[in-house]
Amino acid sequence: MKKTVVMATLAAIISLGIGTTAVADEPVEVSSLRGHNPIDQDADVPNPKRWQRDRAPIERDYVQQPPLIPHSIEGYNINRKFNKCLTCHSWKNYKSSGATKISQTHFEDRDRNVHANVAARRYFCTQCHVSQVDAEPLVENTFKPVEYIR
Amino acid sequence: MNDSTSKGGLWRALRTPTAKYSLGAVLIVGFVGGIVFWGGFNTAMEATNTEKFCISCHEMHDNVYQEYKTTIHYANRSGVRATCPDCHVPKEWVHKVVRKIQASNELYHKALGTIDTPEKFEAKRLELAGNVWRAMKKTDSRECRNCHDFESMDYTKQGRRAMRAHEEGLAGGMTCIDCHKGIAHQLPDMHDVDPSAVVGETQ
């Protein structure tokens, strides 16, 4: 009894193995992220996207929208020790830099306590605010802003 | 009197005109020797004025150099690179020698190992960066202006923000380093410099 079970399992494994080799014989149409380039040759250089030039603030499409960043943020660091954005956008600096000051909401933590300095959950600006490159939209979008802010 | 003669032996020899060599020979030897000495001095000084020399210390190589490699002064579209001495050593001779003499303090701290670990370096970063900012402020950012000259800047070719900042800032007596801190290296903890640009309340 035991022997037949072992034999059957073996047979199953072997036939499985044969099955997979048969599949592998057909050409597989899977392309890796670097395309069909042979491994010993350089991959095609992807067309790099460029930052859009600085411009006036971009209109918002809905009321709660984090405004898009209308300027390049290349090389702007945000870390524990320092936030480049706030050197222009903080309430202390916005006047001299001519930037929009961060809104009241950015001082509120998740328990609705209002702080004197920017709240930790609003510290990493680029979680919500993004700057723009010269890329085409990936999918068609027919979104229209509501009448009240159009 | 007595001991002044023994002490003055070398002095007297230096003061006495030579009887053996002609004035011409003395002049030629002095002239050639001068060139060799001066050339050697300048060559040695220039050798310490290369990026290769700067990053031969692991303090520079492992910290600030790695950070600088990600910035526009290292790699950019036009392929012009500003190396360490371009920003940190004055070009004019007198200022350069003064800076080189100050560097002996850096050798001293190299020997002491003042910043020989990333942690020690980070702890001193505000002080060290502050020294550079102060020096730049005092010289009206002289080393920046070796390459970036306001007179040759076409504001109309700049972005909206840069145009406004350059027009108003420079007219208002500001200098490059006032705004352009941390452009080639990471900044220190800025709590004490501008608390409004760091997370958290310190008071």
Side-chain angles (χ1 to χ4, degrees), chain A:
Chain A
M1 188 61 203
K2 235 183 196 165
K3 211 171 186 179
T4 26
V5 174
V6 173
M7 289 301 274
T9 328
L10 265 176
I13 291 173
I14 288 166
S15 62
L16 241 174
I18 291 165
T20 39
T21 33
V23 170
D25 282 345
E26 290 161 26
V28 186
E29 278 306 318
V30 179
S31 87
S32 74
L33 281 178
R34 62 195 298 280
H36 287 295
N37 296 65
I39 202 78
D40 56 351
Q41 275 165 36
D42 286 343
D44 296 333
V45 180
N47 193 13
K49 302 281 178 288
R50 292 176 200 287
W51 297 105
Q52 290 188 355
R53 276 185 70 86
D54 289 13
R55 52 173 159 159
I58 303 163
E59 295 226 346
R60 301 183 202 183
D61 286 330
Y62 55 100
V63 181
Q64 302 83 357
Q65 180 197 337
L68 296 170
I69 306 176
H71 54 70
S72 150
I73 55 167
E74 206 176 352
Y76 289 180
N77 282 326
I78 304 176
N79 58 31
R80 179 176 58 77
K81 302 179 290 176
F82 176 72
N83 178 325
K84 174 73 182 172
C85 316
L86 289 170
T87 59
C88 291
H89 286 280
S90 78
W91 282 40
K92 182 177 155 205
N93 298 327
Y94 82 91
K95 281 198 214 99
S96 57
S97 72
T100 331
K101 63 176 184 291
I102 53 173
S103 82
Q104 295 267 7
T105 58
H106 290 40
F107 294 85
E108 225 174 70
D109 67 18
R110 61 179 177 187
D111 303 318
R112 298 268 153 139
N113 300 318
V114 180
H115 294 267
N117 202 2
V118 62
R121 64 170 182 165
R122 299 288 184 147
Y123 187 67
F124 294 99
C125 319
T126 46
Q127 274 182 314
C128 305
H129 298 281
V130 288
S131 63
Q132 304 293 295
V133 293
D134 56 358
E136 290 297 319
L138 290 173
V139 289
E140 195 197 352
N141 187 347
T142 54
F143 184 89
K144 279 202 177 62
V146 287
E147 226 170 74
Y148 307 101
I149 65 166
R150 234 185 285 166

Side-chain angles (χ1 to χ4, degrees), chain B residues 4 17 24 35 39 41 45 59 67 69 73 84 98 100 102 107 116 122 128 130-131 149 156 173 181 191-192 202:
Chain B
S4 85
I35 290 177
F41 177 78
M45 189 160 78
E59 282 90 342
E67 298 164 7
K69 284 207 308 201
H73 282 96
C84 323
V98 170
K100 287 289 171 195
Q102 282 168 1
L107 291 178
D116 60 3
E122 207 49 55
L128 299 175
N131 291 343
D149 183 10
T156 62
K181 293 190 179 75
H191 269 110
D192 296 330
T202 34

Side-chain angles (χ1 to χ4, degrees), chain B residues 18-93:
Chain B
T18 160
K20 215 156 149 204
Y21 304 108
S22 68
L23 181 63
V26 169
L27 277 179
I28 288 171
V29 167
F31 188 72
V32 173
I35 290 177
V36 169
F37 173 78
W38 190 239
F41 177 78
N42 255 339
T43 310
M45 189 160 78
E46 286 314 317
T48 69
N49 231 8
T50 58
E51 187 173 277
K52 213 168 133 228
F53 177 82
C54 302
I55 60 175
S56 63
C57 276
H58 81 275
E59 282 90 342
M60 294 297 120
H61 181 270
D62 296 351
N63 300 307
V64 283
Y65 179 64
Q66 300 306 325
E67 298 164 7
Y68 149 74
K69 284 207 308 201
T70 65
T71 70
I72 194 158
H73 282 96
Y74 182 82
N76 50 62
R77 59 194 171 280
S78 57
V80 184
R81 177 180 298 174
T83 63
C84 323
D86 287 325
C87 304
H88 291 294
V89 185
K91 288 263 178 293
E92 283 157 54
W93 198 84

